[in-house]
Each structure stands twice: as structure tokens, then as C-alpha cells.
Amino acid sequence: MKNLEEHFKQAKKQDRKGQKALFDLLSPKMLAVANSYVNNIQDAEDILMHSFFTCFSKINDCRDWKSFPFWLRKIVVNNSITFIRRNKNILYTDKEMDEIGNAEEVWEQEIPEIDMEEIFSEMPDGYRLVFNLYVFEDKKHQEIADILNISEGTSKSQLNKAKKWITAFLKQKKNEKQYAE
């Protein structure tokens, strides 16, 4: 934490070494955040670079070094959403999913390995966006609706379907593993 404070103070003075140190310290986590939204590492890298450029251009807006990682994360999330709006047609599906059984049953069973990258890479875009904003960014459905320009009902529906999709995905992986043994 001491390094973060020191690098933050240097970066506020537009010191390139301080900026580079902050980039080196926080870029892996921020890249993962961007990739969890756009599901494409090259696009996530572009978003990351744009986010750090924005961050260093407006670093005086962030007053406290302790809040800097959260402030930067907000920039990355906002840039990811802006990127998606500009470059993708997102399908918010209203299709009913097949009956997948009791979700609690799947969650209670021991699941040896969960690869979140694999889950997010295969999850439909609409599900992933709403899920990320609700779970990881702690947004309410009305906020999500405003951010994504959808109705609050669509946000709730997409979150519910994302949960069901994850449950079905995990159930399928479990069955594949059992079949392989």
C-alpha cells in the first residue's frame, strides 16, 4: 500500500515513472475487469490503455490515493460499456431456457474447479453485462437499466437468466467430467 501512495503522489505531479509504476501495479487487474465485459483480450487491452490515458489526464479529480484503485476501476468499467455500445449489437434475449433443474442442487455439490474466464467467454453478452454490473459493480437494476439503455425489467430478467445459464454451464461441466472418468 505504501508503494501505491508513493506512486499516486508522483503520478499527480505528472511524473512518468510514477505513472508507469501505477500502470504496472494495477494493469493486470484492470485488464481482467475490461475483459470480463468485452470478452476479447485485444479489445480489453485497448480499453485498458484508453482508461489509463483518461486516468492520468484527470488524476487531479481523484483526491485520495486510497480510493484510486476504485476510481480507476470505474473508468475501466465505463470505458468497457462505452466500447460495447459503440461496437456491438447486444442481444438481450427473451427466449425461455430449457428446464435445468434445481439451481441450489448444483451449487451445493462440490465443484472442483471453476474457470471464471471460461464462463465469461461463453456467456451471452447481455447476460454477462448485467451480471457484471449487478454482482461486481454492485449496481441496482434501475442503474443498470440507465447505463445500458434497457428497461429495469430487462435487467432483472437478464440477471435471472445469467444465473440460470451459469448453473446450467456448471452442471454441463460436471457431467462432462463424470463422463470422462
Side-chain angles (χ1 to χ4, degrees), residues 72-158:
L72 176 60
R73 181 186 175 95
K74 186 175 182 180
I75 292 171
V76 172
V77 169
N78 288 339
N79 283 342
S80 298
I81 292 168
T82 299
F83 175 86
I84 291 167
R85 279 189 190 141
R86 286 186 188 148
N87 298 299
K88 292 187 177 187
N89 293 325
I90 303 167
L91 176 63
Y92 295 101
T93 184
D94 289 327
K95 296 178 185 175
E96 290 301 316
M97 295 181 68
D98 295 337
E99 183 60 38
I100 60 169
N102 186 352
E104 290 176 11
E105 195 178 284
V106 174
W107 291 109
E108 289 173 0
Q109 297 171 359
E110 186 177 324
I111 301 172
E113 292 181 29
I114 297 177
D115 183 351
M116 293 305 288
E117 280 189 37
E118 181 182 14
I119 290 172
F120 287 131
S121 72
E122 295 189 29
M123 184 184 281
D125 290 342
Y127 295 178
R128 187 176 60 253
L129 283 172
V130 172
F131 184 85
N132 281 352
L133 288 169
Y134 188 85
V135 173
F136 300 120
E137 306 306 325
D138 201 27
K139 300 287 186 193
K140 304 292 181 222
H141 287 292
Q142 186 57 53
E143 293 174 290
I144 295 169
D146 292 342
I147 290 168
L148 299 177
N149 198 25
I150 58 176
S151 72
E152 186 175 349
T154 299
S155 175
K156 290 177 181 178
S157 171
Q158 292 296 293

Side-chain angles (χ1 to χ4, degrees), residues 44-71:
E45 289 169 346
D46 290 345
I47 291 165
L48 178 73
M49 297 308 291
H50 179 70
S51 297
F52 270 98
F53 176 78
T54 301
C55 159
F56 293 139
S57 298
K58 298 181 177 187
I59 197 163
N60 288 326
D61 292 352
C62 184
R63 295 188 185 115
D64 185 26
W65 68 271
K66 293 177 186 173
S67 63
F68 179 74
F70 306 103
W71 181 74

